C-alpha cells in the first residue's frame, strides 16, 4: 500500500511515514471543569441507540414546537432530522440569551490595526443590530423565507449580524469567502439565484485597506452574463458613515447599509418559526468537477449538532473567551465562530486581519488583552507562526486551557510545538477532522475523556460511526492499521441535506460508491463517502491521510484542481492544463500548474505570469500557483487522459514509477530536464 501510494503522490504522503505517537493526558484541572466527563456518553451514542441519542443535542436548543420524528429516512440519502419541529436559529443564538446574559459580550471584534478600538458587542446590542438588519432585508429588499442571498464579506462583525438577520427571516444565506474574486462570487450568485448581494466597501489585510467593493461590480456583471440579475447591492462600511472605496456606487443598485438602517432603528422582527429541516445556509465547496457545490445545511439538525459539539468538544463555558482564528467564509467559521458558540451563549472573537500583522506576536497579544482561554486554528497558521515567531508566545501573559487544530493533517512535530509553546504545556488539544459537508466534527477526542495522540484526530465523535473500506468495497477490520477510504456508517444531524439544486450529484458523489441498494430507505444502506483516506490504529484512533480525489488543500482551503485548471484555460494561449499538489512547509500543499500551449505560441516569462494571474483573478490569491510550467506536451495515457500522478511525482521530485504504458513516455524525461 505504501509503495502504491508513493507512486500515486497522494495527499497522504507526509502522513504515511508518521509513527504512532505516545498519548498525552488531560490535566486533573481540565477534567475537573470539563462539560463532558462521563465516558458512558459513548454508550449512550452507540449504534444501538441511534438515532434517538441525538435528542441530547436537540435538547440544547429552544423549540417553538417540539419534533415528533428524530430521523426521517423516507427520501434517503436526503435525511431529515427532528421532523415536525419548529425552530429559529437567530432566536437560539441571540434572543434566548437575553434573559440571563443581556450584558455579556457576544462578539469581540478586533480590527487589524492595533490603534483602532476593539468592539465588544453584547448580546443586547447583537439582538438590536440583528433585528434592524432583518427589518431592512425584509422591508427594503423584500426578502422572505426560502430566498437566497449572497454575502461576500471579510472578517467583520457585520458578517455574523447579516447571517443572523437572514436566519431570523428564514432567508438562506450563502457567504462567499472574502478573499475570493468577484468572478468566484458571481458563480455562486448564479448557482443560488441570488438577487441581492451584500458586501463591504473595504477591509484591512496585511496593513492595507483593500478595496472590496470593486469585486461586487465584477460579480454583478459576470452574473448577468449567465442570466442572473442582481438588483440590489448592499454595502456595509468599514468606517460607518464614511465610504472607504474608490469604486463608485451605482445609482439605483448600490446602497449603504448604514444609511438604510436609520429607517429601521428600533424596529423588531419576530423570528420566523421555521421547520427544523428548512435550509439555513449554503456553503460552496470545491469538488472533483469544475463547478463548486452548494452544500445545503438545514436548521434544526445543524444547529443541534454544532451546539452539542461546541459544548462537549470545544468545551466552552459561560466565563470563557473563545477565539477561532478561521474565516467565517469557510465552514469552520460558520459552525465554530458563529452558530455553535452563539447557540451556547459564548463570547466569540472575530479578528479582521492576518495572524502575523504587524508581527508574529499579534495573536498572543490579542489573547493576552482579551483573556482568550480557548484557541482554535489550523496547521497552516501554526506552521507559519512557528516559522516566523517560534519564541513569541513566551513573551505574553495568556493561558489557554484548550486548543483546537482543524483543516488538514497536523505533523506531530508541529503538534508538539503547538502544545509546548503556544499552549505552554497547559492546554489540551483536540484535532478535529470534518468537512464542509458534515457541518461539524466527525472525529476528535472528547477532551476530558480521551487522551490526545499527536497526528491522530482520535475516535469517531459520539454518534459518529466511521468505517474504512478498501478499493473493492470490502470493510477493513477495525484497528488493522491499513489505509483505506473512510466512510461514516450512519447519518447525523449536522450532515448537509443535499447539493443545492443537484440531488443527483449529491447521491453520486457521496453515496453511490458504497451504497448497498439505491432504492433503500434504510440508513444502514447509505454509508457516507468522505473522500478522505485514513487508517485506524488498534486503540480506535483514526489518522486522516488526506483526500482521495483531486482536491488540493492549500492552507486548509480546499481548491478543486478542476477549478484551477479551468481558470488557466481562460488564457487564450493555453491548450491544456493540469494542476498537482506540491508539499509545502507552511501551506501544506501548493498547486503546481502545468500547461501546454496552442500551436503558434511560444513560452515566455510574461506568459507564465499572465497564466498565474488568471488563477488569482478567477479564484483568488490562495490559488496562486507555486510555479507555472509551460511544457511541450502533457504525459498522457493511451486513451488521452493527462497523467497527473506523473506530473505530481515530477513536481515533488519523486520516482515517477513505470511510465512505459504512456502514449508519450519520452515527454517525462523532457519535462524532468526542464526542471534541472
Ligand atoms: C481535511 C474543513 C486531517 C480533510 C473543516 C477533509 C483534515 C477536508 C482535518 C475538508 C483534520 C479537515 N485532520 N485532515 N483534523 N480537518 N481535514 O471542507 O481532507 O474545508 O476532507 O472543511 O480537510 O475541508 P473543508
Amino acid at each position: 500500500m505504501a509503495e502504491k501510494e508513493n507512486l500515486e503522490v497522494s495527499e497522504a504522503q507526509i502522513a504515511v511515514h508518521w509513527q504512532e505517537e505516545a498519548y498525552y493526558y488531560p490535566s486533573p484541572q481540565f477534567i475537573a471543569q470539563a462539560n463532558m466527563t462521563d465516558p458512558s456518553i459513548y454508550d449512550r451514542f452507540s449504534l444501538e441507540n441511534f438515532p434517538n441519542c441525538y435528542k441530547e443535542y436537540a435538547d440544547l436548543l429552544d423549540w417553538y414546537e417540539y419534533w415528533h420524528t428524530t430521523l426521517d429516512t423516507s427520501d434517503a440519502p436526503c435525511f431529515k432530522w427532528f421532523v415536525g419541529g419548529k425552530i429559529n436559529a437567530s432566536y437560539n443564538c441571540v434572543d434566548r440569551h437575553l434573559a440571563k446574559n443581556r450584558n455579556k459580550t457576544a462578539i469581540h471584534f478586533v480590527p487589524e490595526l492595533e490603534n483602532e478600538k476593539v468592539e465588544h458587542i453584547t448580546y443586547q446590542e447583537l439582538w438590536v443590530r440583528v433585528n434592524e438588519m432583518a427589518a431592512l432585508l425584509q422591508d427594503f429588499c423584500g426578502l422572505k423565507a426560502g430566498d437566497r442571498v449572497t454575502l461576500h464579506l471579510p472578517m467583520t462583525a457585520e458578517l455574523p449580524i447579516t447571517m443572523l438577520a437572514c436566519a431570523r427571516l428564514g432567508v438562506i444565506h450563502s457567504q462567499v469567502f472574502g478573499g475570493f474574486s468577484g468572478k468566484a462570487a458571481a458563480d455562486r450568485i448564479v448557482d443560488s439565484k441570488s438577487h441581492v448581494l451584500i458586501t463591504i466597501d473595504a477591509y484591512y489585510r496585511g496593513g492595507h485597506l483593500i478595496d472590496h467593493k470593486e469585486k461586487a461590480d465584477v460579480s454583478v456583471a459576470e452574473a448577468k452574463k449567465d442570466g442572473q440579475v442582481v438588483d440590489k447591492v448592499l454595502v456595509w462600511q468599514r468606517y460607518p458613515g464614511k465610504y472607504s472605496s474608490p469604486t463608485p456606487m451605482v445609482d439605483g443598485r448600490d446602497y449603504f447599509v448604514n444609511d438604510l438602517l436609520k429607517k429601521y432603528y428600533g424596529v423588531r422582527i419576530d423570528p420566523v418559526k421555521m421547520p427544523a429541516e428548512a435550509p439555513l445556509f449554503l456553503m460552496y465547496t470545491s469538488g472533483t468537477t469544475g463547478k463548486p457545490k452548494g452544500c445545503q445545511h438545514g436548521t434544526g439538525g445543524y444547529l443541534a449538532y454544532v451546539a452539542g459539539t461546541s459544548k462537549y468538544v470545544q468545551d466552552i463555558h459561560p466565563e470563557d473567551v473563545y477565539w477561532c482564528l478561521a474565516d467565517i467564509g469557510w465552514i469552520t467559521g460558520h459552525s465554530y465562530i458563529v452558530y455553535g458558540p452563539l447557540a451556547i451563549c459564548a463570547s466569540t472573537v472575530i479578528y479582521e486581519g492576518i495572524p502575523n500583522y504587524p508581527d508574529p506576536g499579534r495573536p498572543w497579544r490579542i489573547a493576552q488583552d482579551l483573556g482568550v482561554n480557548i484557541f482554535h486554528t489550523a496547521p497552516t497558521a501554526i506552521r507559519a507562526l512557528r516559522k516566523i515567531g517560534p519564541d513569541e508566545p513566551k513573551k505574553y501573559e495568556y493561558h489557554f486551557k484548550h486548543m483546537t487544530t482543524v483543516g488538514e493533517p497536523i505533523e506531530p512535530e508541529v503538534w508538539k510545538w503547538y502544545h509546548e509553546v503556544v499552549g505552554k504545556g497547559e492546554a489540551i488539544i483536540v484535532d478535529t477532522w470534518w468537512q464542509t459537508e458534515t457541518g461539524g466534527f466527525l472525529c476528535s477526542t472528547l477532551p476530558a475523556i480521551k487522551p490526545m495522540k499527536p497526528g491522530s484526530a482520535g475516535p469517531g465523535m459520539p454518534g459518529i460511526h466511521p468505517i474504512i473500506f478498501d478499493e473493492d468495497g470490502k470493510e477493513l477490520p477495525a484497528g488493522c492499521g491499513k489505509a483505506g477510504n473512510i466512510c461514516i456508517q450512519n447519518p447525523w444531524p449536522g450532515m448537509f441535506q443535499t447539493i443545492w439544486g443537484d440531488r443527483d450529484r449529491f447521491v453520486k458523489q457521496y453515496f453511490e460508491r458504497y451504497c448497498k441498494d439505491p432504492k433503500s430507505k434504510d440508513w444502514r444502506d447509505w454509508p457516507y463517502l468522505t473522500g478522505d483516506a485514513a487508517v485506524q490504529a488498534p486503540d480506535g484512533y483514526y489518522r486522516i491521510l488526506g483526500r482521495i480525489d483531486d482536491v488540493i488543500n492549500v492552507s486548509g482551503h480546499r481548491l478543486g484542481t478542476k477549478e484551477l485548471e479551468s481558470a488557466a484555460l481562460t488564457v487564450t494561449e493555453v491548450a491544456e492544463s493540469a494542476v498537482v499538489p506540491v508539499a509545502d512547509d507552511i501551506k501544506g500543499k501548493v498547486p503546481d500548474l502545468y500547461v501546454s500551449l496552442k500551436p503558434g505560441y511560444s513560452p515566455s516569462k510574461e506568459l507564465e505570469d499572465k497564466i498565474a494571474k488568471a488563477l488569482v483573478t478567477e479564484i483568488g490569491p490562495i490559488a496562486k500557483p507555486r510555479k507555472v510550467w509551460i511544457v511541450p506536451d502533457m504525459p498522457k495515457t493511451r486513451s488521452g487522459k493527462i497523467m497527473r500522478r506523473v506530473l505530481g511525482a515530477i513536481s515533488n521530485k519523486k520516482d515517477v514509477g513505470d511510465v512505459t504504458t504512456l502514449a508519450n513516455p519520452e515527454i517525462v524525461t523532457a519535462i524532468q530536464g526542464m526542471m534541472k
Side-chain angles (χ1 to χ4, degrees):
M1 188 76 201
E3 272 293 278
K4 184 156 170 252
E5 277 185 357
N6 265 337
L7 290 182
E8 305 274 6
V9 194
S10 73
E11 294 272 314
Q13 284 211 333
I14 313 174
V16 155
H17 303 290
W18 290 350
Q19 307 289 317
E20 285 291 316
E21 298 278 330
Y23 286 138
Y24 286 57
Y25 290 89
S27 67
Q29 295 92 300
F30 182 84
I31 297 171
Q33 60 84 61
N35 280 328
M36 178 49 66
T37 50
D38 175 6
S40 76
I41 185 168
Y42 287 102
D43 300 327
R44 294 204 303 281
F45 281 77
S46 68
L47 268 182
E48 291 77 68
N49 296 329
F50 180 86
N52 297 334
C53 52
Y54 278 115
K55 177 179 181 336
E56 210 167 310
Y57 284 4
D59 286 349
L60 295 171
L61 304 178
D62 282 3
W63 297 82
Y64 296 116
E65 264 172 57
Y66 205 67
W67 36 280
H68 50 69
T69 306
T70 316
L71 174 65
D72 174 355
T73 63
S74 60
D75 188 28
C78 296
F79 299 108
K80 295 189 192 73
W81 285 87
F82 310 128
V83 178
K86 289 272 172 62
I87 191 163
N88 184 282
S90 165
Y91 178 86
N92 272 279
C93 291
V94 190
D95 305 47
R96 68 167 177 156
H97 304 318
L98 296 180
K100 289 199 185 123
N101 287 294
R102 193 177 285 275
N103 300 319
K104 172 179 174 162
T105 301
I107 295 171
H108 297 276
F109 173 69
V110 183
E112 192 187 65
L113 300 187
E114 273 188 297
N115 59 6
E116 286 190 1
K117 202 170 148 295
V118 175
E119 268 185 78
H120 308 278
I121 302 172
T122 60
Y123 275 96
Q124 168 77 20
E125 187 179 347
L126 183 62
W127 178 71
V128 168
R129 295 186 66 184
V130 167
N131 268 283
E132 292 170 354
M133 186 61 181
L136 187 162
L137 295 177
Q138 177 177 282
D139 183 60
F140 182 74
C141 300
L143 290 166
K144 55 180 189 322
D147 291 346
R148 281 81 53 208
V149 41
T150 298
L151 282 47
H152 193 191
L153 289 166
M155 287 292 280
T156 151
E158 282 71 24
L159 173 48
I161 288 168
T162 309
M163 288 161 64
L164 292 164
C166 290
R168 199 165 191 85
L169 303 170
V171 169
I172 304 168
H173 58 75
S174 165
Q175 151 69 9
V176 180
F177 171 55
F180 273 157
S181 65
K183 172 73 169 63
D187 294 343
R188 289 148 177 83
I189 288 171
V190 172
D191 190 74
S192 63
K193 300 202 171 54
S194 301
H195 292 285
V196 177
L197 170 64
I198 305 178
T199 187
I200 195 168
D201 54 357
Y203 63 101
Y204 278 98
R205 208 159 166 82
H208 303 288
L209 187 62
I210 300 201
D211 180 8
H212 192 63
K213 161 64 169 63
E214 64 173 353
K215 290 186 180 174
D217 293 9
V218 175
S219 304
V220 174
E222 291 288 330
K224 196 170 171 205
K225 284 191 202 156
D226 287 331
Q228 182 61 32
V229 176
V230 174
D231 40 49
K232 288 193 174 63
V233 178
L234 303 186
V235 184
W236 285 100
Q237 288 156 313
R238 173 62 175 74
Y239 296 99
K242 174 179 155 204
Y243 188 41
S244 303
S245 158
T247 309
M249 295 285 278
V250 175
D251 216 27
R253 185 197 76 186
D254 300 352
Y255 301 90
F256 289 122
V257 178
N258 291 315
D259 288 349
L260 298 175
L261 276 175
K262 291 183 183 140
K263 195 175 152 201
Y264 302 100
Y265 285 164
V267 178
R268 305 293 176 248
I269 297 286
D270 282 340
V272 178
K273 297 174 180 162
M274 298 299 292
E277 67 273 20
L280 177 62
F281 66 85
L282 306 180
M283 169 65 66
Y284 282 84
T285 190
S286 299
T288 46
T289 64
K291 201 169 147 234
K293 304 168 284 197
C295 292
Q296 175 186 319
H297 281 284
T299 307
Y302 170 81
L303 200 63
Y305 198 69
V306 296
T309 49
S310 293
K311 183 159 182 185
Y312 297 143
V313 181
Q314 297 307 112
D315 202 58
I316 308 174
H317 294 66
E319 63 277 18
D320 293 328
V321 181
Y322 165 81
W323 182 16
C324 170
L325 189 51
D327 195 292
I328 300 175
W330 306 114
I331 192 68
T332 302
H334 271 49
S335 299
Y336 297 111
I337 297 178
V338 181
Y339 284 114
L342 295 179
I344 60 168
C345 196
S347 296
T348 183
V349 177
I350 295 179
Y351 171 54
E352 176 181 33
I354 56 174
N356 57 352
Y357 183 82
D359 59 69
R362 185 68 191 281
W364 324 127
R365 277 201 297 286
I366 293 174
Q368 171 183 277
D369 296 349
L370 293 178
V372 173
N373 61 349
I374 306 182
F375 184 68
H376 187 154
T377 192
T380 178
I382 305 170
R383 287 187 214 109
L385 290 165
R386 174 176 182 244
K387 187 163 177 192
I388 55 182
D391 299 319
E392 289 300 311
K394 291 192 194 103
K395 301 182 189 158
Y396 298 93
E397 267 306 311
Y398 70 84
H399 292 279
F400 296 151
K401 62 171 179 177
H402 181 297
M403 304 192 300
T404 301
T405 168
V406 61
E408 44 177 328
I410 184 166
E411 299 83 351
E413 214 182 287
V414 178
W415 191 101
K416 286 174 193 165
W417 182 80
Y418 194 38
H419 183 257
E420 279 154 36
V421 181
V422 177
K424 306 185 174 182
E426 304 161 340
I428 68 97
I429 297 179
V430 290
D431 180 345
T432 58
W433 168 66
W434 59 297
Q435 310 177 302
T436 304
E437 294 86 340
T438 71
F441 306 143
L442 292 176
C443 283
S444 167
T445 49
L446 280 178
I449 301 178
K450 298 275 182 186
M452 310 157 238
K453 188 161 72 173
S456 290
M461 284 290 299
I464 301 285
H465 302 280
I467 184 171
I468 301 181
F469 290 115
D470 68 12
E471 287 302 316
D472 309 322
K474 274 217 319 284
E475 188 180 333
L476 291 175
C480 73
K482 285 214 182 75
N485 298 334
I486 184 165
C487 295
I488 312 298
Q489 297 179 57
N490 59 295
W492 64 99
M495 161 180 200
F496 68 146
Q497 301 176 305
T498 186
I499 294 174
W500 178 256
D502 202 345
R503 189 187 194 276
D504 288 349
R505 191 172 172 202
F506 171 72
V507 176
K508 199 163 181 305
Q509 178 153 358
Y510 298 99
F511 300 94
E512 195 172 65
R513 184 153 179 192
Y514 296 115
C515 175
K516 291 164 198 145
D517 167 12
K519 294 215 169 59
S520 173
K521 305 288 175 217
D522 185 341
W523 58 263
R524 289 170 195 81
D525 292 325
W526 293 96
Y528 167 76
L529 174 72
T530 66
D532 280 340
V535 290
Q536 191 188 26
D539 60 6
Y541 281 36
Y542 293 91
R543 178 188 293 166
I544 306 303
L545 306 173
R547 307 289 305 160
I548 52 177
D549 58 23
D550 51 359
V551 169
I552 298 184
N553 196 325
V554 183
S555 302
H557 303 155
R558 265 162 78 178
L559 297 175
T561 47
K562 279 286 168 348
E563 239 183 320
L564 304 184
E565 291 168 5
S566 7
L569 289 173
T570 63
V571 177
T572 328
E573 293 88 340
V574 175
E576 284 180 309
S577 66
V579 164
V580 295
V582 185
D584 180 274
D585 280 354
I586 303 291
K587 296 180 175 167
K589 290 285 187 297
V590 286
D592 249 6
L593 175 67
Y594 288 83
V595 297
S596 63
L597 301 181
K598 293 178 188 157
Y601 294 107
S602 43
S604 67
K605 178 76 181 66
E606 285 70 27
L607 186 52
E608 284 172 26
D609 292 346
K610 182 172 162 192
I611 299 167
K613 200 161 158 255
L615 269 67
V616 174
T617 322
E618 291 283 313
I619 295 156
I622 54 167
K624 188 166 195 276
R626 180 189 73 143
K627 174 88 184 122
V628 177
W629 301 101
I630 303 182
V631 295
D633 196 1
M634 300 282 181
K636 290 196 185 127
T637 63
R638 285 166 207 235
S639 61
K641 276 210 261 177
I642 299 177
M643 291 295 283
R644 286 183 186 70
R645 75 160 182 86
V646 172
L647 295 172
I650 298 174
S651 277
N652 288 283
K653 306 220 168 3
K654 293 267 155 55
D655 183 1
V656 294
D658 181 9
V659 294
T660 52
T661 57
L662 294 187
N664 51 354
E666 70 288 350
I667 200 71
V668 176
T669 348
I671 298 176
Q672 280 169 325
M674 288 172 57
M675 302 203 164
K676 296 240 166 79

